[in-house]
Amino acid sequence: MALSRTAIVEHLARVVGAENVVTDEQELQRSSVDRLHLYEDVHGVYTQPLPAAVAMARSTQHVADVLQLANTHRLNVVARTGRTATEGGLQTIVPDSIVLDGSRMDRVLRIDTYNMQATVQCGVPLQALEDQCRTHGVTTGHSPQSKPIAQMGGLVATRSIGQFSTLYGGIEDMVVGCEAVFADGTVTRIKNVPRRAVGPDIRHVVIGNEGALCYVTEVTVKLFPYLPQNDTFVGWTLKSMRTGFEALRQVMVAGYRPSVARLYDPPDGAFHFSRFAAGDDCVLLFMAEGPAGVVRATIDGIQEIVGRFPDCKPVDARHLAAWFADLNWGPDKIANERREILETRTMGRTTEISADWSSICDIYENALRRLRAEVPDLKVAGGHSSHSYVNGTNMYFIYHYDVKCPPEQEVTRYRREINRVICEETLKLGGSVVHHHGMGKARTPWVREEYGSSYYILEKLKRAFDPNDIMNKGTILPD
Ligand SMILES: Cc1cc2nc3c(=O)[nH]c(=O)nc-3n(C[C@H](O)[C@H](O)[C@H](O)COP(=O)(O)OP(=O)(O)OC[C@H]3O[C@@H](n4cnc5c(N)ncnc54)[C@H](O)[C@@H]3O)c2cc1C
């Protein structure tokens, strides 16, 4: 028989201690959504089923005990750390879910500058880890825009990627080993070694699981030397995105590894570069970092390649350094954004996809053409590429629209329609519907097409590790 809400709270109090169980109504409302439902949230409108409680885990044993309880009584569990999710990963779609919050598991356990790796609990904010690392002359190399708030468990669980990814990779390239707890309470530890060839790489069952397979409790990531004195920017304005993609491609294919490689179209660039770019300018920019000789060679090589494109006009690099220094989002920007949404009733959102070099510009153009024709109340639509690889790149679509419907209809009327256009155009040309931010619940309508015949593997993983479907129902796999 299903447990009543009161009984769930009592059980939780026995498992983690009453002081670690939150049942305040307002907090439960806020815990039923993430930034996918931001418009409803700022208007104080909550339409999702409320969780029974938020359990604040303080140890791996707490996590294991809560999962065991949930598994026994078939209660949905939504894992949570920094609460910066954008795709509905934190949304509680089942009444009386348990939100299992790891933000109080916030100890940096070890910074090992000899073996160049750091071990942390899941609730350590990346900024806190990075700040400590820098005092030792090392860096994680991980710098998503949400770095001031996002925490290590969520960063691993969403397969996050940072602004220096072209050099350091995404989090999947950084995680050495980890500890994770599965639905039945089994605690597993994947050891920290530089590489091994002992069958499948099981780190990837954990990385990117979005709380749908297991709970990440501890992570070990690589470290790199921190040499900010050598950071060097170069940039150009140009009139054509197609030319920009080709210049980016040539830089990547030639083997250069700048830490930042970005291409902005005019509508997106207007939010960032109005100090030096005209209204119809695209902006192509790079940053190189690391040992001085590597930086020099990287910048020389990029300049030689981009110099082959007469459309590209150099810009003063000081503008780029100043712009980049203010790119991250902390609590102040989040608070400003909420105020602005209330005042203007305009939403600014993003959808990020990836594709090979042959397809990316066509996806970009086709999606924008359709968005402008099909989406009501659209004020701005554009995008940038911010993560490049030898075989392709991403496109980070940005769009702003005036909300002309009640708050509870905003997601379906605008966001879902925009995602539909972008995902359809991406899939048509063989790209991936999620480059970062995760699937959450927002992009599950496209998961079967995204995976194709390999959906078999995904589905079997879910059935094997979460046979009672208690782990973040409706996330990655549709409910
Ligand atoms: C302003 C802003 C900028 C952003 N910039 C970037 C960016 O540059 N790059 C990028 O990749 N993302 C970015 N994001 C998205 C977001 O920050 C990332 O997805 C981040 O990794 C989420 O971490 P979190 O600690 O906030 O996780 P949460 O928001 O708490 O959770 C995110 C997801 O992970 C699951 N989860 C959380 N903790 C655990 C755990 N311990 N074990 C298992 N599952 C867990 C949750 O159930 C949820 O599905 C941005 C978001 C915002 C708001």
Side-chain angles (χ1 to χ4, degrees):
M1 201 179 74
L3 285 186
S4 69
R5 172 176 284 224
T6 312
I8 296 170
V9 172
E10 282 169 5
H11 275 289
L12 282 174
R14 273 198 289 277
V15 166
V16 297
E19 69 283 10
N20 293 317
V21 180
V22 180
T23 53
D24 170 70
E25 177 82 2
Q26 266 197 332
E27 184 50 32
L28 293 185
Q29 287 177 332
R30 283 196 293 263
S31 298
S32 68
V33 290
D34 59 29
R35 288 173 61 90
L36 176 63
H37 289 265
L38 177 60
Y39 193 76
E40 289 176 35
D41 191 15
V42 297
H43 285 90
V45 174
Y46 297 96
T47 55
Q48 304 304 309
L50 291 195
V54 179
M56 307 297 298
R58 295 194 177 255
S59 64
T60 299
Q61 194 57 51
H62 276 173
V63 171
D65 291 346
V66 170
L67 289 178
Q68 220 168 35
L69 167 74
N71 204 34
T72 305
H73 296 284
R74 308 288 193 267
L75 303 168
N76 183 49
V77 176
V78 175
R80 178 173 95 181
T81 49
R83 306 175 75 164
T84 62
T86 59
E87 306 300 319
L90 298 179
Q91 198 178 324
T92 52
I93 63 168
V94 182
D96 292 340
S97 298
I98 298 169
V99 174
L100 184 51
D101 186 301
S103 61
R104 292 188 188 162
M105 294 174 65
D106 58 357
R107 279 186 301 132
V108 174
L109 300 172
R110 188 165 154 81
I111 293 179
D112 175 356
T113 56
Y114 189 78
N115 295 301
M116 293 299 267
Q117 54 194 32
T119 302
V120 293
Q121 289 186 307
C122 59
V124 171
L126 175 55
Q127 186 77 60
L129 172 61
E130 184 63 26
D131 289 348
Q132 280 199 39
C133 284
R134 288 182 185 186
T135 65
H136 295 270
V138 292
T139 174
T140 60
H142 200 39
S143 188
Q145 258 186 300
S146 52
K147 179 164 74 176
I149 314 175
Q151 300 174 3
M152 293 305 287
L155 287 159
V156 171
T158 54
R159 197 173 282 274
S160 61
I161 194 162
Q163 292 151 113
F164 307 126
S165 68
T166 316
L167 180 61
Y168 300 105
I171 193 111
E172 67 274 20
D173 302 301
M174 301 165 175
V175 172
V176 178
C178 60
E179 181 189 77
V181 187
F182 283 79
D184 60 0
T186 300
V187 179
T188 61
R189 183 172 278 276
I190 301 175
K191 69 181 175 184
N192 304 323
V193 285
R195 182 177 190 267
R196 54 181 173 163
V198 284
D201 189 342
I202 51 177
R203 285 175 301 181
H204 290 279
V205 173
V206 178
I207 298 170
N209 90 82
E210 297 186 45
L213 297 177
C214 61
Y215 198 103
V216 186
T217 45
E218 191 186 297
V219 186
T220 300
V221 290
K222 293 176 192 167
L223 299 173
F224 305 90
Y226 180 56
L227 302 164
Q229 65 277 18
N230 298 330
D231 292 357
T232 306
F233 279 94
V234 275
W236 293 264
T237 57
L238 64 161
K239 299 296 179 197
S240 153
M241 282 296 276
R242 203 166 279 276
T243 305
F245 280 122
E246 180 53 18
L248 260 187
R249 188 190 75 82
Q250 289 192 20
V251 167
M252 294 309 297
V253 167
Y256 293 106
R257 300 285 297 275
S259 54
V260 178
R262 288 183 173 228
L263 171 67
Y264 283 78
D265 75 357
D268 193 2
F271 289 106
H272 301 271
F273 308 116
S274 54
R275 289 180 71 181
F276 61 86
D280 61 346
D281 275 340
C282 305
V283 174
L284 175 65
L285 66 94
F286 300 89
M287 174 178 146
E289 64 180 87
V294 173
V295 170
R296 257 196 316 276
T298 305
I299 294 293
D300 286 352
I302 291 171
Q303 285 180 318
E304 189 266 316
I305 289 171
V306 180
R308 296 175 201 154
F309 297 85
D311 187 19
C312 295
K313 310 282 184 269
V315 299
D316 184 340
R318 281 172 304 185
H319 290 314
L320 301 173
W323 158 76
F324 195 74
D326 188 38
L327 211 49
N328 287 346
W329 275 59
D332 47 341
K333 283 195 188 171
I334 300 265
N336 280 344
E337 181 193 40
R338 293 176 72 92
R339 254 192 312 276
E340 272 179 29
I341 291 171
L342 265 180
E343 276 166 28
T344 63
R345 295 185 182 261
T346 298
M347 282 298 284
R349 291 193 182 266
T350 66
T351 302
E352 9 59 50
I353 58 94
S354 68
D356 63 17
W357 292 114
S358 306
S359 315
I360 194 74
C361 194
D362 290 337
I363 293 172
Y364 160 74
E365 288 174 356
N366 297 343
L368 281 188
R369 195 178 311 113
R370 279 190 58 194
L371 287 181
R372 287 171 186 146
E374 294 176 28
V375 178
D377 312 317
L378 197 65
K379 288 173 69 172
V380 181
H384 64 261
S385 155
S386 43
H387 304 278
S388 281
Y389 311 88
V390 74
N391 59 334
T393 189
N394 79 312
M395 175 47 61
Y396 190 94
F397 288 97
I398 61 113
Y399 38 89
H400 294 232
Y401 46 84
D402 288 329
V403 181
K404 295 189 177 158
C405 62
E408 58 274 24
Q409 291 170 17
E410 184 266 335
V411 170
T412 38
R413 175 144 174 198
Y414 299 104
R415 180 72 198 281
R416 200 172 293 167
E417 282 308 288
I418 293 171
N419 269 350
R420 184 176 59 75
V421 169
I422 295 172
C423 293
E424 282 175 8
E425 291 305 320
T426 302
L427 289 167
K428 257 186 223 169
L429 294 183
S432 170
V433 297
V434 185
H435 175 266
H436 58 290
H437 290 183
M439 287 292 277
K441 297 176 181 81
R443 279 182 248 182
T444 54
W446 299 279
V447 67
R448 283 173 190 276
E449 217 181 323
E450 166 75 24
Y451 271 80
S453 56
S454 66
Y455 191 73
Y456 170 81
I457 304 172
L458 183 69
E459 215 174 18
K460 288 281 177 194
L461 273 177
K462 179 73 177 172
R463 299 291 156 256
F465 289 121
D466 183 21
N468 297 325
D469 197 15
I470 63 147
M471 302 293 288
N472 212 350
K473 202 184 278 291
T475 295
I476 305 181
L477 293 95
D479 183 27

